């Protein structure tokens, strides 16, 4: 083929690679064909007649092999030619097959090339084949040679000679055969056919999957060629040093640049990879009968070796303009991906507006596709571009039939008229490091040339608006049904050093059929700031089915800085379609006005929930455990199940709020078991309050239902937020000290233990016996209370002895129970009478309050008889004197 133009500097300055036998070849003289040469090769007239009779062929399978021994052969398996500035580069591959029983040494054979006119060329082995020294019995070896020939030389002009050592000849060599390429042979693989090549010594099938042309700017067009590589060898093909070239019909060569997903070629054995090759070409260039050239660089000198030429199919012109609400089909790796700009929402503010859209991608092909990381932008009528940032395209893969919905947001200048803008999808920018071929060779561009082209230009669909969710119900229709949505309450609640915004959203089934709610998520927008962090949605019912006219509720919550002042607040329900993607379901606008919490006065109760799940809440009592640097405020909180089934609230969260607006996080202790109908459950709240807080009157206890991981917390586990809060009035009091150990409130228990005897034994030991009753007056569930109870005995000298008592272990429930213990101390030695006092203390978190105290006289009935008893002055000399409180 006569090429009038050549490739740029990428393929210029090709240097020949020296082979291990180069010196001998240079010294040797070519010989005539030996006796074993093919008879057809010695009959030019017959060959010419045969070539004229046959059509163009694209295979060398009919070129007969040459025998190198009686059983072993060598075959011409591939030949290629590449036009360059300083001539043509020819490569050809010889395949040696050893059918003998001993190794075939490659030093015994080599190759020469001559023209029919007698011109000789000295081919050289390519770098990667120079180390191939022998062929094992029963195996084959491929050797590829490269040489430079004149620009007018054709492949059919060349005779490829096989030469061996023959020391009987004057020049010590003998030509044992030759190959002649038929005149009808074309190195170009036809459209739709596969070419098997060697890349890095791996067999690879190469096939063109298609060519597309995209519109560009400044009289440019972007050409995209798809190429499939199938590694049919048994080893990894790892980044061969290959280059791709588009050869126009006139012979001009244009380098092709792989896109970002095709820059590396790493293909496992028996695996495929599809490459996308790009070029920026003049619009006037006609692409009919163009070719794709594959070139591999070899050796340190990067000698350019022609590997294959493949005929390109007819290019298809791509129309990327898409009307509103219409799909745009994009071909990715030979698979069709349908794209649709599904919806848009505009929120205008001052002289700019925020545009939120949903872009839906669906793989309509039969194989998984990896979506390129497209550059997305909004383009105005005057050409102004607003880039859209998204991470949704990072490593996005779609299985056949699967869909991905991507939410896109952009802030633009203007009045929000979407008829004046377009959504544009551009391919990832590729780098074409060479300038366009000129036919005379071009230098490499130092800075490189970046180009990207549009695969879709979409008209914006009509914008969706919504009403004020706090005052009106917004009705929406979608594939799931018809729903009325409104905001029932909006609360701002304290949480650590931040605040919780909790909105209760009511969803009504406005249709006449039972519908299934989608999986929903929440998003908040405060003024113009979208909160993308800690945002949760908690549904009050477990199921998703909603009957006609039925209402279900969900809580949307997020956390904000406590000092933040809100203006406008938007609540968005998002439909979750996969683990990583959501669709806008509805957006409700509010004024951001926080509603006050429901208030319950002291001594009153509050009922919440529906009739099927009704719970009565109320504060029983609040008192104070005084401490040295801080006091403990302690509240007993009651929940009563008013429904007909086992029911109750989950884990509660509480905050104490003082009259001057200070918040203290309350610790809570609560039973894990859900109460049955009519049963009561106790939750104890407490918090340490500094002594600097002078007054604890007129406090509030804010109580809400704890949530974590998008659900209400039940049983074990800690809440990370709370919702549905109510404010209860509390009046913390100090408990009076009772003068008797009877009828002491250890809620939910009642304790009586005034019947105590202390027996003197005449030594250092005193034996105590207490007859007590511990009863539970109500069917109440409570958690681990955290209380410890101490019986404190103070003898006549003022020395104190404490005994710790635990409910249900030391003190068992029942009437007339007996508890015995003893105290051994030298203070009792030789005491023969007297009095002592017993006090009962409630200890909580290390701070105690005295509940009751009572005085007693020692019992002397167990003193030894041989020791006379001398009653103390003032005694009534009654050995059974026990303050007349004994019921024994």
């Amino acid at each position: 083929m006569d090429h009038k133009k050549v490739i740029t500097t990428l393929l210029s300055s090709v240097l020949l690679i020296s082979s291990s036998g180069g010196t001998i070849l240079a010294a040797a003289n070519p010989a005539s064909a030996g006796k074993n040469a093919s008879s057809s090769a010695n009959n030019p007239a017959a060959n010419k007649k045969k070539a004229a009779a046959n059509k163009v062929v694209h295979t060398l399978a009919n070129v007969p092999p040459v025998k190198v021994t009686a059983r072993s052969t060598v075959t011409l398996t591939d030949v290629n030619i590449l036009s360059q500035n300083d001539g043509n580069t020819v490569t050809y591959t010889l395949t040696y097959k050893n059918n003998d029983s001993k190794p075939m040494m490659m030093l015994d054979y080599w190759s020469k090339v001559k023209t029919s006119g007698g011109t000789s060329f000295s081919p050289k082995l390519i770098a990667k084949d120079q180390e191939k020294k022998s062929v094992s019995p029963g195996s084959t070896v491929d050797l590829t040679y490269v040489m430079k020939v004149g620009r007018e030389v054709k492949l059919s002009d060349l005779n490829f000679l096989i030469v061996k050592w023959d020391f009987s000849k004057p020049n010590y060599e003998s030509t044992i055969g030759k190959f002649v390429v038929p005149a009808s042979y074309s190195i170009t693989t036809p459209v739709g056919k596969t070419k098997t090549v060697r890349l890095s010594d791996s067999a690879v099938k190469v096939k063109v999957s298609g060519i597309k042309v995209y519109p560009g700017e400044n009289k440019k067009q972007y050409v995209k060629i798809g190429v499939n590589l199938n590694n049919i060898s048994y080893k990894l093909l790892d980044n061969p040093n290959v280059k791709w070239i588009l050869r126009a019909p006139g012979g001009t060569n244009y380098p092709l640049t792989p896109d970002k997903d095709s820059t590396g070629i790493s293909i496992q054995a028996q695996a495929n990879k599809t490459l996308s090759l790009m070029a920026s070409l003049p619009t006037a260039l006609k692409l009919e009968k163009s070719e794709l050239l594959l070139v591999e660089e070899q050796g340190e000198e990067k000698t350019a070796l022609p590997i294959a030429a493949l005929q390109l199919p007819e290019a298809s012109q791509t129309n990327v303009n898409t009307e509103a609400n219409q799909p745009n089909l994009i071909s990715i790796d030979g698979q069709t991906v349908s794209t649709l700009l599904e919806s848009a929402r505009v929120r205008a503010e001052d002289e700019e507006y925020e545009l939120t859209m949903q872009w839906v991608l669906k793989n309509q092909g039969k194989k998984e596709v990896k979506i390129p990381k497209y550059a997305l932008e909004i383009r105005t009528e005057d050409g102004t571009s607003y880039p859209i940032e998204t991470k949704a395209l990072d490593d996005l893969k779609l299985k056949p039939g699967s869909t991905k919905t991507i939410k896109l947001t952009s802030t633009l200048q203007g009045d929000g008229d979407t008829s004046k803008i377009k959504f544009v999808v551009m391919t990832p920018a590729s780098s074409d490091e060479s300038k366009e071929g000129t036919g005379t060779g071009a230098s490499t561009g130092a800075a490189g040339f970046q180009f990207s082209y549009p695969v879709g230009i979409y008209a914006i669909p009509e914008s969706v608006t919504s009403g004020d969710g706090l005052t009106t119900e917004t009705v929406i229709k979608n594939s799931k049904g018809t729903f009325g949505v409104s905001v029932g309450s909006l609360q701002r609640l304290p949480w650590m050093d931040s605040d919780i915004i909790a909105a209760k959203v009511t969803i009504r089934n406005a249709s006449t059929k039972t519908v299934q709610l989608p999986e929903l998520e929440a998003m908040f927008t405060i003024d113009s700031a979208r909160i993308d962090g800690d945002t949760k949605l908690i549904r009050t019912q477990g199921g998703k089915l909603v009957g006609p006219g039925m209402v279900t509720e969900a809580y949307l919550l997020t956390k904000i800085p406590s000092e933040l002042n809100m203006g406008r607040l938007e609540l968005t329900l998002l439909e979750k379609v996969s683990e990583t993607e959501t669709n806008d379901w509805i957006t409700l606008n509010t004024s951001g006005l926080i509603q006050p919490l429901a208030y319950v006065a002291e001594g009153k109760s509050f009922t919440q929930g529906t009739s099927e799940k009704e719970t009565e809440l109320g504060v029983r009592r609040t008192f104070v455990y005084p401490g040295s640097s801080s006091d403990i405020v302690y509240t007993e909180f009651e929940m009563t199940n008013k429904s007909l089934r086992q029911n109750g609230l989950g884990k509660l969260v509480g905050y104490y709020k003082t009259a001057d607006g200070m918040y203290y996080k309350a610790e809570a202790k609560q039973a894990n078991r859900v109460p049955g109908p009519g049963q009561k459950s106790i939750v104890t709240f407490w918090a340490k309050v500094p002594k600097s807080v002078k007054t604890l009157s007129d406090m509030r206890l804010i109580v809400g239902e704890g949530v974590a991981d998008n659900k209400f917390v039940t049983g074990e586990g800690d809440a990370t937020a709370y919702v549905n809060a109510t404010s209860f009035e509390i009046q913390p009091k100090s408990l009076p000290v009772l003068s008797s150990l009877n009828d002491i409130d250890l809620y939910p228990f009642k304790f009586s233990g005034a019947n105590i005897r202390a027996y003197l034994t005449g030594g250092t030991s005193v034996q105590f016996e207490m007859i007590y009753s511990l009863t539970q007056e109500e069917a109440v569930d409570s958690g681990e209370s955290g209380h410890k109870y101490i019986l404190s005995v103070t003898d006549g000298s003022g020395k104190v002895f404490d005994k710790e008592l635990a409910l249900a272990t030391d003190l068992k429930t029942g009437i007339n129970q007996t508890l015995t213990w003893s105290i051994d101390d030298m203070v009792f030695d030789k005491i023969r009478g007297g009095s002592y006092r017993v006090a009962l203390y409630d200890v909580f978190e290390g701070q105690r309050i005295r509940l009751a105290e009572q005085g007693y006289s020692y019992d002397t009935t167990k003193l030894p008889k041989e020791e006379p008893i001398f009653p103390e002055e003032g005694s009534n000399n009654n050995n059974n004197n026990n303050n007349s409180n004994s019921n024994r």
Side-chain angles (χ1 to χ4, degrees):
M1 181 180 294
D2 183 12
H3 298 294
K4 297 181 180 180
K5 298 182 180 180
V6 295
I7 196 170
T8 64
T9 184
L10 172 66
L11 303 174
S12 64
S13 303
V14 177
L15 301 177
L16 297 178
I17 303 173
S18 297
S19 69
S20 59
T23 304
I24 298 176
L25 288 174
N29 294 320
S32 60
K35 295 180 180 181
N36 292 330
S38 172
S39 59
S40 62
N42 292 324
N43 192 343
N47 286 341
K48 184 175 182 181
K49 181 177 180 181
K50 185 177 180 180
N54 294 336
K55 296 181 180 180
V56 174
V57 295
H58 302 276
T59 177
L60 296 173
N62 295 325
V63 177
V66 171
K67 287 190 173 183
V68 293
T69 69
R71 302 178 61 185
S72 300
T73 61
V74 59
T75 306
L76 180 67
T77 53
D78 197 18
V79 60
N80 280 287
I81 188 169
L82 176 67
S83 299
Q84 295 181 282
N85 287 341
D86 55 350
N88 292 339
T89 297
V90 176
T91 61
Y92 62 98
T93 300
L94 301 177
T95 301
Y96 286 84
K97 182 172 180 59
N98 184 2
N99 294 322
D100 292 305
S101 59
K102 61 180 181 179
M104 179 188 300
M105 305 309 296
M106 290 292 92
L107 289 177
D108 294 337
Y109 306 94
W110 64 94
S111 179
K112 289 186 176 181
V113 178
K114 288 185 177 180
T115 66
S116 301
T119 304
S120 296
F121 302 98
S122 296
K124 306 294 182 182
L125 277 171
I126 64 174
K128 64 183 180 181
D129 288 350
Q130 292 178 15
E131 300 302 320
K132 297 177 180 180
K133 303 298 184 183
S134 63
V135 186
S136 301
S139 62
T140 61
V141 165
D142 293 326
L143 298 179
T144 299
Y145 293 85
V146 60
M147 63 183 181
K148 297 289 291 195
V149 300
R151 295 175 61 182
E152 304 300 324
V153 174
K154 300 186 177 110
L155 292 179
S156 58
D157 296 334
L158 303 176
N159 295 317
F160 301 92
L161 308 179
I162 305 301
V163 184
K164 66 175 290 187
W165 291 110
D166 188 347
F167 294 100
S168 65
K169 298 296 178 72
N171 57 354
Y172 307 113
E173 63 182 41
S174 175
T175 300
I176 60 176
K178 68 176 180 179
F179 302 103
V180 178
V181 178
S184 59
Y185 176 73
S186 172
I187 65 170
T188 303
T189 302
V191 172
K193 300 297 182 180
T194 299
K195 173 71 173 179
T196 301
V197 300
R198 279 201 315 151
L199 298 177
S200 298
D201 220 23
S202 294
V204 180
K205 287 185 176 181
V206 183
K207 184 178 181 180
V208 176
S209 58
I211 176 172
K212 285 192 173 184
V213 178
Y214 297 87
E217 300 175 352
N218 300 324
K219 297 183 179 180
K220 298 289 184 182
Q221 60 181 338
Y222 296 110
V223 176
K224 178 182 180 181
I225 301 174
V227 180
N228 181 262
L229 302 181
N230 181 12
N231 182 9
I232 61 174
S233 67
Y234 293 93
K235 62 179 182 179
L236 173 71
L237 175 64
D238 191 21
N239 288 320
N241 198 1
V242 297
K243 303 293 181 183
W244 303 88
I245 304 159
L246 187 149
R247 181 161 59 194
T252 305
N253 294 317
Y254 295 90
L256 292 163
T257 302
D259 67 9
K260 288 186 175 182
D261 294 326
S262 306
T263 52
I265 303 176
S266 182
I267 309 175
Q268 295 289 345
Q270 309 300 310
N272 287 276
K273 182 170 184 176
T274 298
L275 308 181
S276 295
L277 310 174
M278 301 297 308
S280 174
L281 306 176
T283 304
L285 180 67
K286 303 302 180 183
L287 297 174
E288 292 81 359
K289 297 183 179 180
S290 297
E291 294 177 340
L292 174 66
L293 305 182
L294 171 58
V295 177
E296 184 175 18
E297 292 183 342
Q298 287 281 333
E300 295 181 357
E301 298 175 343
K302 294 186 177 181
T303 303
L305 306 179
I307 301 298
L310 300 97
Q311 187 73 43
L312 291 174
E314 183 178 354
S316 59
Q317 299 289 331
T318 304
N319 181 16
V320 296
N321 290 295
T322 307
E323 297 297 326
N325 300 308
Q326 295 299 314
N328 174 40
L329 302 182
I330 301 176
S331 179
I332 303 174
D333 295 338
Q335 306 299 307
T336 299
V337 176
S338 174
T339 67
L340 174 67
L341 193 62
E342 187 176 59
S343 66
R345 180 169 57 88
V346 173
R347 188 165 62 88
E349 185 172 350
D350 297 331
E351 296 181 356
E352 65 179 19
Y353 63 97
E354 182 183 75
L355 175 65
T356 302
M357 305 176 296
Q358 290 185 169
W359 189 41
V360 183
L361 297 86
K362 182 177 182 180
N363 181 6
Q364 295 183 341
K366 297 182 178 180
K367 296 181 180 180
E368 182 181 73
V369 295
K370 185 178 186 301
I371 305 300
K373 193 174 181 181
Y374 292 117
L376 311 178
E377 63 182 47
I378 296 295
R379 192 174 296 173
T380 64
E381 288 180 322
D382 62 1
T384 303
S385 295
Y386 296 89
I388 301 176
E389 300 294 334
T390 180
K391 294 183 179 180
L393 298 177
D394 294 354
D395 198 29
L396 173 59
K397 297 178 182 178
L398 291 181
K399 296 184 180 298
S402 63
T403 300
K404 170 72 174 180
T405 300
I406 301 174
K407 185 170 67 175
L408 305 170
T409 302
S410 180
T411 301
L412 301 88
Q413 300 298 317
D415 57 4
D417 185 356
T418 57
S419 65
K420 300 177 181 178
I421 59 176
K422 301 285 187 181
F423 171 55
V424 181
V425 179
M426 305 288 290
T427 60
S430 300
S431 176
D432 185 356
E433 295 183 351
S434 301
K435 296 179 180 179
E436 296 174 12
T438 61
T440 59
S443 61
T444 301
F449 173 66
Q450 298 286 332
F451 63 89
S452 178
Y453 62 92
V455 294
I457 301 176
Y458 304 78
I460 309 298
E462 185 178 354
S463 177
V464 178
T465 60
S466 61
D468 186 344
L470 280 177
T471 58
T472 59
E473 180 185 72
T474 301
V475 177
I476 60 171
K477 294 182 179 181
N478 51 43
S479 59
K480 297 290 192 300
T482 302
F483 303 93
V485 188
S486 61
V487 178
S489 67
L490 187 63
Q491 296 181 335
R492 183 167 183 166
L493 307 172
W495 182 263
M496 304 301 183
D497 59 349
S498 59
D499 282 349
I500 293 172
I501 300 298
K504 183 168 70 174
V505 175
T506 300
I507 304 173
R508 179 179 62 89
N509 179 7
S511 65
T512 58
K513 297 181 180 180
T514 298
V515 296
Q516 178 171 308
L517 286 176
E519 190 77 19
L520 296 174
E521 293 183 350
M523 183 182 72
F524 285 77
T525 303
I526 297 177
D527 296 332
S528 60
R530 178 181 290 108
I531 301 177
D532 296 322
D534 189 9
T535 301
K536 306 292 182 184
L537 183 142
I538 298 94
R539 299 187 63 243
T540 57
Q541 288 87 10
K544 298 179 181 178
L545 293 179
V546 185
M550 287 182 59
V551 171
T552 186
E553 294 175 342
Y555 291 92
L556 285 62
L557 64 157
T558 190
K559 293 176 183 176
I560 64 172
S562 58
E563 66 274 10
L564 179 67
N565 293 321
M566 291 194 308
R568 184 176 58 194
L569 175 67
E570 287 184 357
L571 309 175
T572 301
L573 287 173
L574 306 171
E575 179 182 358
K576 186 177 180 181
V577 295
S578 73
E579 289 300 322
T580 58
E581 60 184 284
T582 57
N583 296 339
D584 277 9
W585 201 63
I586 189 173
T587 296
L588 302 171
N589 298 317
T590 75
S591 61
L593 178 63
I594 300 299
Q595 297 171 313
L597 301 183
Y599 171 75
V600 181
E602 185 181 21
K604 302 296 183 180
S605 61
F606 173 77
T607 301
Q608 72 173 42
T610 60
S611 58
E612 295 82 5
K613 293 185 177 182
E614 196 172 60
T615 302
E616 185 179 76
L617 308 173
V619 172
R620 181 177 182 271
R621 62 176 180 172
T622 300
F623 51 91
V624 177
Y625 289 84
S628 58
S629 61
S630 62
D631 296 332
I632 291 179
V633 179
Y634 179 91
T635 299
E636 292 169 352
F637 190 85
E638 295 179 331
M639 297 189 299
T640 305
N641 180 9
K642 294 294 186 179
S643 65
L644 300 178
R645 295 178 180 270
Q646 193 171 25
N647 173 52
L649 302 181
K651 180 163 289 189
L652 299 186
V653 174
Y655 269 85
Y656 288 104
K657 180 184 180 182
T658 65
D660 51 359
M662 292 186 291
Y663 290 96
Y664 295 94
K665 176 73 168 63
E667 300 294 332
K669 295 184 182 297
Q670 181 174 352
N672 292 330
R673 192 174 74 87
V674 177
Q679 287 186 329
K680 184 179 293 186
S681 179
I682 293 296
V683 183
T684 56
F685 292 102
W686 65 273
K688 285 190 175 182
V689 179
K691 286 285 189 182
S692 58
V693 179
K694 299 302 181 182
T695 176
L696 296 179
S697 61
D698 196 25
M699 293 186 74
R700 301 288 185 268
L701 175 61
I702 298 172
V703 178
E705 298 178 69
V707 296
D709 300 325
N710 290 358
K711 60 183 179 182
F712 290 94
V713 180
T714 57
E716 299 295 332
D718 295 327
T720 58
Y722 62 108
V723 298
N724 207 29
T726 305
S727 178
F728 293 85
E729 181 187 12
I730 60 174
Q731 294 289 340
K733 298 179 178 63
S734 296
L735 292 177
V737 180
L738 301 179
S739 60
S740 170
L741 295 183
N742 283 331
D743 296 327
I744 301 175
D745 186 357
L746 305 181
Y747 190 79
F749 297 96
K750 181 77 73 173
F751 174 78
S752 291
N755 193 350
I756 298 177
R757 288 178 180 270
Y759 294 97
L760 296 174
T761 61
T764 60
S765 176
V766 176
Q767 296 176 352
F768 287 84
E769 182 182 71
M770 179 173 67
I771 307 301
Y772 70 93
S773 297
L774 183 67
T775 58
Q776 185 171 351
E777 297 183 350
E778 294 183 272
V780 174
D781 284 336
S782 61
E784 292 293 333
S785 67
H787 291 269
K788 296 178 181 179
Y789 297 98
I790 292 178
L791 272 179
S792 181
V793 177
T794 306
D795 81 324
S797 66
K799 194 166 185 179
V800 179
F801 302 92
D802 288 344
K803 177 172 179 57
E804 185 175 310
L805 302 175
L807 298 183
T809 55
D810 299 316
L811 295 177
K812 302 182 182 301
T813 56
I815 305 297
N816 292 329
Q817 300 289 322
T818 301
L819 175 69
T820 61
W821 76 100
S822 63
I823 300 174
D824 194 302
D825 194 275
M826 289 299 298
V827 74
F828 300 112
D829 191 27
K830 298 181 180 180
I831 291 181
R832 296 300 179 265
S835 62
Y836 60 94
R837 298 192 68 81
V838 178
L840 179 64
Y841 288 91
D842 177 7
V843 182
F844 186 78
E845 294 296 320
Q847 296 176 201
R848 65 169 65 186
I849 55 175
R850 187 167 49 177
L851 301 177
E853 186 175 22
Q854 187 169 345
Y856 297 88
S857 295
Y858 287 110
D859 190 311
T860 61
T861 60
K862 294 186 178 181
L863 286 172
K865 293 183 179 180
E866 64 270 20
E867 294 187 23
I869 300 176
F870 298 97
E872 296 180 7
E873 185 178 354
S875 170
N876 60 7
N877 197 23
N878 186 355
N879 291 335
N880 196 27
N881 185 357
N882 199 14
N883 208 23
S884 69
N885 287 319
S886 173
N887 294 318
R888 291 173 60 85

